[in-house]
Amino acid sequence: MASGGPSFLLLSMVPTILLLCIDFACCNTGRRTSDGLDTDFTGFSVPLEHSFEVDDVSQFRVRGALQLRGGRETSVSLSQNQLSEEDRSTLKEVAAVDGLYRIRVPRVSLSADRQSDRPMDGFLTAFVRACSLVESHLSDVITLHTDVSGFLIGVSIVTIPGACRGTEVEDEVDLEAFNTTLNVIAPTNAPQPETALFIERMDMENEKRGKPQEQKSFFAKYWYLILGGAIFLMASSSAQAPAGGAEEQQS
Amino acid sequence: MAKLVPLLAVFFYLVCVSEAVFEDQVGKFDWRRQYVGKVLFASFDSPSQSSKKLFVATDKNIFASLNSRTGDLFWRHVDKMGPEGAVDTLLVNAQDALMVIGDGRLLRSWDTNVGGLNWEVVLDTGSFQAACFVGIQDTVKHVAVLKKTAISLHYLSNGHQKWVENLPDSDTVKYQAVYSGGGEEVFVLGMVPHSHLTITVYSLEDGEIIRQRSVEAPWLSSVESSCVVVGRGVLMCVDNYTQALYTLAIQAEDSPQFRQVLLQSLDLEVSQDFQPVLVSTQPHPARSPLPEFFLQLGPDHHILLQLSEDGSTIAPLRDFQPAFLVSFATTGEKTVAAVMAPKNTTDDLHCRSRCFADSGRRLLDTTVIFPLDANGGKPQKLYVHAFLKKDDSVGYRVLVQTEDHALTFIQQPGRVVWTREEALADVVTMEMVDLPLTGTQAELEGEFGKKADGLLPMVMKRLSSQVILLQAWMAHLWKLFYEARKPRSQIKNEVTIETLSRDEFNLQKMMVMVTASGKVRSPGVSRCSDEDKSLFGIDSKSGTILWKHYLENVQPNAAFKLIVQRTTAHFPHPPQCTLLIKDKDTGLATLHVFNPIFGRKSQISLPALPRPILQSLLLPVIDQDYAKCLLLVDDQYKVTAFPSTKNVMQQLQEMASSIFFYLVDSEQGTLSGFRLRKDLSSELIWEVVLPTEVQKIVAVKGKRPSEHVHSQGRVMGDRSVLYKYLNPNLLAVVTESTDTHPERAFVGMFLVDGVTGRIIHEAVQRKARGPIHFVHSENWVVYEYWNTKSRRNEFSVLELFEGTELYNSTVFSSLDRPHLPQVLQQSYIFPSPITTMEATLTEKGITSRHLLVGLPSGAILSLPKMFLDPRRPEVVNEHSREENLIPYAPEMPIRTEWFINYNQTISRLKGIYTAPSGLESTCLVVAYGLDIYQTRVYPSKQFDVLKDDYDYVLISSVLFALFFATMISKRLAEVKLLNRAWR
């Protein structure tokens, strides 16, 4: 019990940094054995099952247990077993024939008030290519998606890195324990049209525009030009006037 | 700086403006065809030869007037959809056309000259039974409307109610017919099935019951379907069980009795399992019906009978066998009976007509030949327009309605004046197919297509094709020369199947349209549901119907999917389209494979599809005949391939592990993914379940496979690149909450990878509800919803970006994209509801995208995608200006110059189809609903086309002048240099 607490605190920080939209998450290196199963959490646990067969006929076995805790803040943690010798060799064989590694979780509700109708039939399944799981040394990211009311609607698994490059994994130790990151993603709220901000901005612009309107008038601004022009006109007309007068006199 | 902002905004607006057409461009690139739907009632205007009007009321709740010379619309009134606007009956008398609408809700009178509404009255509640004009002394002044429990009489001039009376014992007696023979009485006929018939006679003046009679009739099951009034008020009924005609004088004062006339006594016999039908005619509502009437004894057997003056004996006048349809028409004092009979056993049907006057039996035989289209349906209804010629003989024209809702108007002696394909008022789905190359182009293509076999044959082949080219060129020259001598007006530019060929820029295409209309009529009217499925091939340039194909034996309530399996690009092989017809109830599917250019059915062996089909997908796998492979998934998740040649099977087996498909079950709320196995079975690999208690899946859309994206990213203001998340397998899943309370209702938008089932993004739009219209393309999804809180329509746009670095720039694989994309979203207010939405599509995807938004007004708005960009900044800064981002404004503008169809509105717009053309700047648009409208749009203007008024003369003269100037100056310079050298 004691071990559950600290690790839960410590590891909870990692994924929240990774992704913004995570409600809460926890992961477990899997080196601890199944002591997490007998629990005094207020929540409940559901099995996480996996299947990898050479002939691709799915036979799900327990991989670990998801500890779900409802409430105001949903939290999920995962405790999982190590892969046995037999499993490791099967996984490598499956990877060699480009088979699939599947996981499944039962359909449950994460929210506390719905736990009465928790047992829903059916599973949510997802898969990843077995070779990429092997090549990533069992480091995978499992994401649980919930809908608005807290029902689990989907599960997804990806490995990091995700590619199959055909590199041999020699070291058996690499395939012993899962290095799992667990996320829970709830739907985000789509934005509404931003009317308030826009109106604020318009007001600010209007204010800005309002100030220059108190600017000097046309005459106030260009009085020197007008004055200069007027003087020039007057000067030129007064210069011409005597000449005209002279002509008149001549005639 | 501050001034720059509005300036910039003005600049953007200017950029986006200038899309409207100029006045001289109207109708140059676009056309509209208007339709009315399946005709239920038709009536001709006046019995004169010069009359041009034809009135129709249709199942689309439309009342329209057609020009009988050309088939064009004079006017059209489109009423509400659904039973509220359904036309119950149409009665035409001189200048007034009366309609009862919405199961007896409204009574309307139209002016037939101009199509204006004279008056409209709201009738009392109660389902409509029958209506008739009531006239005395040859003038019609009233109309009687019979409802289930009441009868009302209205003035024809203003619609005011003269009187309304409740019908006696309306809970037991079914009142079904109303009759007026020109007297002061209105007869209402009701009956208790298999018991008795009641005759209630009302006074025209005040609606008082003059008398009530009850007649024993244990054989009678329906007055409406088996009885007519013939001659001077004699009710004539036919009964199949007793094989007899029954007559009854309804005007008789004393208690009348039915008189039985056995069909056997007339030497008549009803065909097996056929309900005999009586057809009579009342030439004028103020006079009694004629004593002559038709009795239909079998599907192709009619007989003309006459009731004697005293109503005692029935005499056969003439027997018509075979005869499909009969009809009466009246002109002046003369009444014509038209009979449609097949001519021999060939496809030609001809329509013969007998003419008889009221008194005598002077029979005239004239024939109109109606050519029956092998690809069309059988004739269904016959309307005759009889008129008096100048020499007082009777002439007539015939309107034939066929099963495929086509209207054909024929003149004597068999000239088809016009044809209207009314099935096109209900287009379900369509595709556009490139036209084939011309013969010469095809010849050249064919040369490259053939396999090389030696040098000499290659040379010979080349020579022969050159000769053919030369021949074609000579023919072309000759044609030019020949046509140059003729005046310009005589040269017809008609489009026929023979002259169809691809133009330079591939702007002309073949539109393949699937139509289906199956409307179950409102109760009370005894027309049952009937189905009509047709395929049409239409030239996109002119709108001419080039071919049509009527699909028989299609179950009602079927869903369609039209798939282009082979385009015209693979010359020796004809293009191939496949129509998947799926019965919605059983899920069983059939395939119809045809050539989209000529409409001919292909002689290809079709796969047997014994099980319901859940999903169909077109693979890029090509067989040796260049046909793409179509996979059909049945309910046991077994896959059938079509075509299923060895070549295809081999390719499928090789690729099986990389073929994924998804299924959506909106009732269970499940989305599931499958992978193909080598033995063509499939395995479930992922499953996403959206609980149906919370939300239900409304629609799922992937991207269009033909879409090209030119640029992988967007260059930002700081010169870095924001890469788009271009996942070709992405599905947009839209859900609506089951809770419809305005505060709690929401719309969900899920972006799911169709291969891995990974939910890429999930968002909920709170306080929103449908109907949702959305477009999913490139890296964006645009959706429109109704905001229940603010009570307005809003647009929201989602864009997905990978970030400033690409994970794997060479290839996209859904299996290898561990990081989720960045999702940006913004919402806007849209000031109008919308009916449909589609995005423009161009050849290479260089041209900027526009959204084509269909508005309920019938206009199509071309909204630049630039306005729906989640990166529109709240506050303008250097970078956003550099990037040409428009500052955020919450309201989306609607500019009238953005309407691509100017004043050519499209009634009841249902869908918009876009197709790329050969020109990158041009996108072809077809909008369909009640009307069909085709046009071209240029989202980034015509950047790759020289303008019409481009000044070639100026440019070339400037070029030549420059050329000569350089030559002269060069010469001068040389001379100068030489002189300098000598100095």
Side-chain angles (χ1 to χ4, degrees):
Chain A
M1 285 345 83
S3 66
S7 71
F8 155 80
L9 273 176
L10 183 106
L11 291 158
S12 67
M13 291 166 73
V14 182
T16 37
I17 293 161
L18 279 174
L19 276 163
L20 282 170
C21 48
I22 297 167
D23 275 356
F24 192 80
C26 178
C27 62
N28 190 315
T29 51
R31 287 184 196 278
R32 273 174 300 277
T33 44
S34 60
D35 60 341
L37 282 173
D38 52 332
T39 168
D40 64 353
F41 284 140
T42 50
F44 55 97
S45 83
V46 290
L48 170 70
E49 293 169 300
H50 63 175
S51 152
F52 43 96
E53 301 293 330
V54 182
D55 57 355
D56 250 0
V57 177
S58 49
Q59 279 185 330
F60 285 98
R61 297 179 298 272
V62 175
R63 167 174 157 176
L66 286 165
Q67 305 289 340
L68 306 169
R69 268 215 300 196
R72 207 156 46 83
E73 279 223 327
T74 313
S75 74
V76 176
S77 63
L78 172 67
S79 61
Q80 46 194 357
N81 313 331
Q82 284 187 319
L83 279 182
S84 66
E85 188 74 33
E86 196 188 333
D87 285 345
R88 283 199 296 262
S89 62
T90 324
L91 188 61
K92 284 181 93 174
E93 274 172 43
V94 174
V97 297
D98 195 18
L100 302 182
Y101 172 84
R102 305 146 191 258
I103 57 163
R104 74 171 185 191
V105 289
R107 291 174 59 197
V108 288
S109 171
L110 295 188
S111 62
D113 54 326
R114 299 221 184 217
Q115 278 178 28
S116 52
D117 49 64
R118 180 154 40 100
M120 284 191 291
D121 53 332
F123 291 89
L124 303 167
T125 49
F127 74 98
V128 72
R129 287 165 81 189
C131 56
S132 66
L133 189 69
V134 171
E135 283 177 36
S136 65
H137 305 287
L138 300 190
S139 48
D140 54 355
V141 181
I142 293 174
T143 312
L144 299 171
H145 296 267
T146 66
D147 70 356
V148 276
S149 53
F151 281 115
L152 270 190
I153 57 162
V155 61
S156 73
I157 177 167
V158 287
T159 59
I160 294 178
C164 279
R165 294 201 171 76
T167 46
E168 272 298 304
V169 179
E170 289 299 330
D171 199 358
E172 286 285 316
V173 181
D174 285 340
L175 293 182
E176 239 170 36
F178 287 99
N179 173 22
T180 305
T181 315
L182 189 67
N183 300 329
V184 179
I185 297 183
T188 54
N189 277 334
Q192 303 275 336
E194 289 276 357
T195 40
L197 252 169
F198 180 74
I199 290 165
E200 212 173 276
R201 208 184 74 202
M202 290 293 281
D203 287 344
M204 272 168 66
E205 260 172 40
N206 279 345
E207 261 175 47
K208 263 190 206 166
R209 213 172 291 160
K211 273 174 196 163
Q213 270 177 11
E214 293 159 23
Q215 274 174 3
K216 291 168 265 181
S217 67
F218 181 76
F219 286 103
K221 222 170 171 182
Y222 303 108
W223 62 272
Y224 48 92
L225 286 177
I226 295 163
L227 193 71
I231 290 168
F232 177 73
L233 278 173
M234 274 162 71
S236 58
S237 62
S238 60
Q240 268 178 9
E247 274 171 36
E248 246 174 272
Q249 279 171 355
Q250 272 181 357
S251 65
Chain B
M1 242 333 81
K3 270 182 214 158
L4 249 176
V5 178
L7 263 181
L8 214 70
V10 168
F11 169 72
F12 283 128
Y13 289 149
L14 284 177
V15 165
C16 307
V17 170
S18 74
E19 278 159 31
V21 287
F22 292 104
E23 199 179 347
D24 61 335
Q25 287 177 322
V26 165
K28 210 172 166 189
F29 309 115
D30 62 322
W31 51 261
R32 178 179 66 164
R33 296 281 175 278
Q34 289 186 304
Y35 296 95
V36 294
K38 184 196 170 189
V39 172
L40 299 176
F41 307 96
S43 167
F44 290 94
D45 184 18
S46 63
S48 76
Q49 194 169 2
S50 59
S51 96
K52 287 199 291 191
K53 282 203 192 91
L54 163 65
F55 307 105
V56 291
T58 69
D59 69 335
K60 300 262 177 237
N61 307 349
I62 286 166
F63 180 48
S65 173
L66 303 177
N67 184 341
S68 63
R69 297 282 163 82
T70 59
D72 295 336
L73 281 176
F74 277 127
W75 42 260
R76 182 176 74 172
H77 292 286
V78 182
D79 203 352
K80 278 179 204 154
M81 267 309 264
E84 231 182 315
V87 183
D88 294 322
T89 189
L90 169 71
L91 301 167
V92 180
N93 177 52
Q95 302 298 308
D96 301 303
L98 255 81
M99 276 165 71
V100 180
I101 288 168
D103 197 17
R105 197 170 56 91
L106 292 172
L107 180 67
R108 274 187 197 150
S109 164
W110 303 91
D111 185 329
T112 55
N113 279 334
V114 290
L117 183 68
N118 287 334
W119 47 261
E120 177 186 89
V121 287
V122 181
L123 298 174
D124 295 340
T125 50
S127 76
F128 172 78
Q129 296 295 330
C132 81
F133 282 123
V134 181
I136 27 170
Q137 288 149 7
D138 280 7
T139 50
V140 181
K141 280 189 179 155
H142 304 99
V143 60
V145 179
L146 181 71
K147 297 258 195 139
K148 207 162 190 172
T149 55
I151 176 166
S152 59
L153 200 76
H154 297 262
Y155 289 102
L156 208 55
S157 52
N158 53 15
H160 290 183
Q161 187 176 293
K162 189 170 182 181
W163 49 261
V164 60
E165 291 297 326
N166 279 331
L167 296 164
D169 307 325
S170 59
D171 47 343
T172 51
V173 181
K174 280 188 192 169
Y175 290 95
Q176 287 184 323
V178 58
Y179 162 75
S180 155
E184 294 269 340
E185 293 160 334
V186 178
F187 299 87
V188 175
L189 304 175
M191 55 121 206
V192 177
H194 306 292
S195 169
H196 62 272
L197 176 94
T198 64
I199 303 167
T200 316
V201 186
Y202 287 89
S203 157
L204 178 63
E205 213 44 58
D206 49 8
E208 249 180 80
I209 295 175
I210 297 172
R211 61 179 180 273
Q212 250 179 304
R213 295 282 177 273
S214 174
V215 188
E216 283 293 309
W219 42 269
L220 188 65
S221 58
S222 168
V223 175
E224 208 178 8
S225 63
S226 58
C227 296
V228 289
V229 180
V230 176
R232 289 177 201 281
V234 175
L235 186 71
M236 176 81 66
C237 295
V238 64
D239 178 46
N240 194 21
Y241 185 72
T242 50
Q243 293 268 326
L245 286 170
Y246 294 88
T247 57
L248 172 80
I250 53 172
Q251 280 156 331
E253 297 281 325
D254 52 345
S255 60
Q257 283 295 319
F258 268 112
R259 208 166 56 79
Q260 192 186 43
V261 181
L262 285 175
L263 287 176
Q264 220 170 359
S265 67
L266 298 165
D267 283 337
L268 300 174
E269 201 183 349
V270 179
S271 305
Q272 207 90 52
D273 300 327
F274 186 81
Q275 177 68 41
V277 181
L278 288 163
V279 181
S280 74
T281 180
Q282 187 173 12
H284 193 275
R287 280 178 233 157
S288 53
L290 293 183
E292 289 86 4
F293 62 95
F294 273 111
L295 172 63
Q296 188 178 7
L297 295 165
D300 61 346
H301 187 192
H302 288 81
I303 187 157
L304 185 64
L305 300 164
Q306 191 182 37
L307 189 73
S308 64
E309 199 66 19
D310 56 350
S312 56
T313 54
I314 299 165
L317 288 180
R318 186 145 181 177
D319 195 356
F320 298 99
Q321 193 177 22
F324 292 129
L325 297 167
V326 292
S327 177
F328 284 107
T330 305
T331 171
E333 295 298 309
K334 287 173 180 162
T335 297
V336 183
V339 177
M340 181 177 264
K343 184 183 180 186
N344 306 328
T345 50
T346 57
D347 287 339
D348 273 9
L349 275 184
H350 77 189
C351 173
R352 291 140 94 215
S353 108
R354 316 269 172 236
C355 170
F356 53 90
D358 273 348
S359 52
R361 291 196 185 174
R362 192 160 48 84
L363 293 161
L364 274 170
D365 256 10
T366 45
T367 310
V368 164
I369 293 174
F370 171 63
L372 191 66
D373 188 359
N375 292 326
K378 288 194 187 78
Q380 210 173 27
K381 262 187 200 169
L382 187 67
Y383 303 96
V384 181
H385 179 214
F387 51 84
L388 284 176
K389 288 183 189 165
K390 275 173 196 147
D391 58 351
D392 220 30
S393 64
V394 177
Y396 65 99
R397 304 188 184 104
V398 185
L399 181 72
V400 183
Q401 185 181 9
T402 45
E403 274 177 332
D404 54 350
H405 299 187
L407 292 177
T408 314
F409 195 65
I410 311 161
Q411 232 174 11
Q412 279 171 308
R415 190 173 74 85
V416 174
V417 186
W418 49 263
T419 307
R420 283 181 73 90
E421 295 292 349
E422 289 302 338
L424 285 171
D426 213 336
V427 175
V428 185
T429 179
M430 66 166 291
E431 280 290 335
M432 265 181 156
V433 185
D434 292 352
L435 289 177
L437 302 164
T438 55
T440 50
Q441 285 169 322
E443 182 62 37
L444 275 183
E445 289 275 320
E447 195 191 345
F448 295 114
K450 283 169 203 159
K451 287 217 174 76
D453 41 6
L455 193 67
L456 202 65
M458 284 280 280
V459 173
M460 292 306 290
K461 222 176 270 172
R462 163 51 61 92
L463 282 177
S464 70
S465 58
Q466 296 283 16
V467 168
I468 289 167
L469 276 179
L470 191 71
Q471 246 175 351
W473 188 63
M474 295 288 278
H476 178 68
L477 277 187
W478 171 247
K479 202 179 157 199
L480 272 185
F481 174 70
Y482 190 74
E483 276 178 359
R485 293 191 309 173
K486 278 201 277 186
R488 196 161 263 251
S489 57
Q490 278 187 15
I491 303 167
K492 276 186 192 164
N493 214 352
E494 265 182 30
V495 186
T496 56
I497 278 197
E498 286 75 33
T499 59
L500 267 188
S501 65
R502 199 180 302 178
D503 60 334
E504 228 175 321
F505 297 122
N506 202 3
L507 289 165
Q508 188 180 4
K509 293 198 180 199
M510 177 66 86
M511 292 158 49
V512 180
M513 291 187 144
V514 185
T515 66
S517 67
K519 289 280 160 340
V520 180
R521 291 278 304 163
S522 55
V525 184
S526 66
R527 263 173 297 270
C528 57
S529 74
D530 65 284
E531 278 289 308
D532 164 69
K533 317 275 171 197
S534 296
L535 272 169
F536 286 92
I538 302 173
D539 169 40
S540 77
K541 198 176 182 182
S542 59
T544 321
I545 297 166
L546 295 173
W547 57 263
K548 73 166 185 177
H549 188 93
Y550 177 62
L551 300 167
E552 272 168 299
N553 305 327
V554 172
Q555 293 85 0
N557 193 20
F560 295 92
K561 194 171 175 185
L562 190 60
I563 303 140
V564 181
Q565 278 197 293
R566 182 165 55 217
T567 61
T568 31
H570 311 282
F571 164 63
H573 305 286
Q576 184 180 324
C577 267
T578 302
L579 181 68
L580 180 72
I581 306 158
K582 192 175 128 182
D583 192 324
K584 266 185 194 152
D585 298 329
T586 61
L588 290 174
T590 48
L591 294 175
H592 175 77
V593 184
F594 61 100
N595 179 335
I597 305 299
F598 304 111
R600 280 195 290 265
K601 198 174 174 183
S602 301
Q603 304 300 322
I604 291 181
S605 60
L606 297 172
L609 301 167
R611 302 211 60 88
I613 297 298
L614 299 178
Q615 172 76 293
S616 65
L617 59 158
L618 193 67
L619 295 183
V621 175
I622 283 174
D623 73 346
Q624 72 269 30
D625 292 341
Y626 304 100
K628 280 183 187 165
C629 177
L630 179 71
L631 288 191
L632 300 163
V633 185
D634 67 18
D635 65 341
Q636 289 181 331
Y637 312 112
K638 281 271 208 184
V639 173
T640 314
F642 171 73
S644 53
T645 54
K646 221 181 212 172
N647 184 318
V648 169
M649 289 314 206
Q650 202 180 339
Q651 287 187 58
L652 276 182
Q653 277 181 4
E654 281 165 19
M655 291 175 63
S657 66
S658 60
I659 294 173
F660 299 86
F661 58 87
Y662 69 92
L663 296 175
V664 182
D665 184 348
S666 57
E667 256 160 50
Q668 306 287 325
T670 56
L671 289 148
S672 40
F674 293 83
R675 182 164 83 153
L676 197 66
R677 285 210 189 109
K678 283 194 164 54
D679 59 346
L680 291 188
S681 63
S682 56
E683 53 181 336
L684 180 78
I685 50 172
W686 60 264
E687 201 163 19
V688 167
V689 186
L690 300 168
T692 46
E693 304 92 83
V694 183
Q695 53 196 335
K696 57 179 190 298
I697 298 171
V698 182
V700 178
K701 259 190 205 172
K703 289 177 192 176
R704 284 174 70 163
S706 55
E707 178 183 275
H708 291 273
V709 181
H710 181 69
S711 61
Q712 284 235 311
R714 286 183 58 166
V715 182
M716 294 198 290
D718 57 357
R719 297 287 161 213
S720 63
V721 177
L722 189 62
Y723 288 100
K724 294 174 184 171
Y725 179 78
L726 296 168
N727 183 349
N729 311 316
L730 197 65
L731 303 174
V733 181
V734 174
T735 63
E736 263 188 70
S737 62
T738 41
D739 191 348
T740 51
H741 187 272
E743 280 296 312
R744 294 186 296 270
F746 66 88
V747 165
M749 172 60 79
F750 297 82
L751 300 177
V752 181
D753 189 299
V755 170
T756 61
R758 191 179 181 195
I759 298 173
I760 303 292
H761 181 71
E762 54 176 318
V764 284
Q765 195 81 47
R766 301 268 177 192
K767 289 166 191 150
R769 76 178 156 76
I772 316 282
H773 301 275
F774 68 111
V775 175
H776 180 200
S777 178
E778 278 189 47
N779 64 329
W780 50 263
V781 179
V782 172
Y783 61 94
E784 188 261 7
Y785 57 90
W786 171 257
N787 187 328
T788 51
K789 193 190 170 202
S790 313
R791 293 163 186 278
R792 64 192 177 199
N793 289 88
E794 288 178 4
F795 260 116
S796 196
V797 57
L798 276 160
E799 276 194 28
L800 290 91
F801 292 99
E802 285 216 0
T804 47
E805 267 174 53
L806 269 182
Y807 179 79
N808 179 354
S809 58
T810 49
V811 68
F812 188 96
S813 167
S814 286
L815 297 170
D816 179 18
R817 284 279 143 148
H819 305 294
L820 286 173
Q822 297 171 13
V823 182
L824 302 174
Q825 189 168 11
Q826 229 170 38
S827 299
Y828 315 89
I829 302 161
F830 193 68
S832 164
I834 74 169
T835 49
T836 183
M837 188 155 66
E838 189 54 80
T840 60
L841 195 66
T842 52
E843 182 87 1
K844 299 274 179 252
I846 299 168
T847 309
S848 58
R849 308 291 294 270
H850 277 203
L851 284 174
L852 300 172
V853 183
L855 306 181
S857 63
I860 301 172
L861 183 79
S862 180
L863 188 67
K865 172 69 180 51
M866 206 187 203
F867 280 90
L868 289 159
D869 184 347
R871 300 186 61 245
R872 282 175 71 174
E874 294 277 355
V875 183
V876 185
N877 61 25
E878 200 79 27
H879 289 318
S880 66
R881 210 168 293 141
E882 181 83 19
E883 240 187 290
N884 281 355
L885 291 174
I886 308 165
Y888 180 78
E891 195 174 19
M892 195 66 64
I894 291 185
R895 279 160 216 287
T896 43
E897 63 267 26
W898 287 352
F899 291 146
I900 57 168
N901 55 342
Y902 45 106
N903 64 354
Q904 308 274 305
T905 52
I906 301 139
S907 289
R908 294 191 192 144
L909 185 62
K910 212 162 66 177
I912 299 174
Y913 180 86
T914 53
S917 72
L919 278 175
E920 172 54 34
S921 65
T922 310
C923 169
L924 303 175
V925 178
V926 181
Y928 53 87
L930 193 59
D931 307 335
I932 296 175
Y933 180 74
Q934 192 275 146
T935 190
R936 301 172 190 171
V937 289
Y938 318 100
S940 300
K941 296 201 272 181
Q942 287 180 287
F943 61 83
D944 50 2
V945 179
L946 290 180
K947 279 197 182 106
D948 286 344
D949 54 354
Y950 186 77
D951 203 340
Y952 293 94
V953 180
L954 184 76
I955 291 287
S956 45
S957 57
V958 165
L959 263 178
F960 276 111
L962 279 174
F963 178 72
F964 285 116
T966 36
M967 294 295 281
I968 291 162
S969 56
K970 198 179 169 191
R971 176 78 194 136
L972 288 175
E974 271 174 11
V975 170
K976 204 177 177 184
L977 272 177
L978 193 68
N979 287 345
R980 196 182 290 164
W982 275 108
R983 210 171 282 162

